[in-house]
Amino acid sequence: EFILFEPLPENSFGPLIEMPIRLTLRGTFHQTLQFFDTLSKFERKILISDIEMTEPKKEKGFYVISTHANITTFRKGASKQ
């Protein structure tokens, strides 16, 4: 479950634009790893940093955690003519 998906201001690095996003997920540890694994298979490179996970809490027979992370991807900037 997405709790927070917050795009942050973009940063320009020459021909590349960095697109950072602050993210909070809620689910089991296995679900969180599946989400990160899915991101790793995208054609576009995605960096995951500053990962923090809360203590698991038992809910409906499952241990649920909240995961906070920053994810960053890049796109090409506009070419100057």
Side-chain angles (χ1 to χ4, degrees):
E1 170 183 17
F2 281 99
I3 303 297
L4 175 70
F5 186 90
E6 179 184 6
L8 300 173
E10 294 182 345
N11 301 304
S12 180
F13 294 100
L16 291 178
I17 306 290
E18 177 186 66
M19 301 168 20
I21 299 167
R22 186 172 295 132
L23 183 71
T24 301
L25 305 170
R26 188 172 173 280
T28 66
F29 183 72
H30 183 72
Q31 289 169 329
T32 301
L33 292 183
Q34 281 181 316
F35 175 74
F36 289 155
D37 183 56
T38 299
L39 290 181
S40 75
K41 294 177 179 160
F42 284 10
E43 185 175 324
R44 179 179 291 202
K45 296 300 178 203
I46 298 174
L47 304 175
I48 304 169
S49 61
D50 303 323
I51 300 170
E52 294 181 23
M53 295 180 175
T54 63
E55 282 287 322
K57 294 180 182 169
K58 195 164 189 175
E59 295 180 12
K60 299 178 185 175
F62 295 96
Y63 287 97
V64 176
I65 59 173
S66 290
T67 302
H68 310 280
N70 292 323
I71 61 174
T72 305
T73 189
F74 300 87
R75 65 177 172 85
K76 289 182 181 179
S79 60
K80 295 180 181 179
Q81 300 285 332

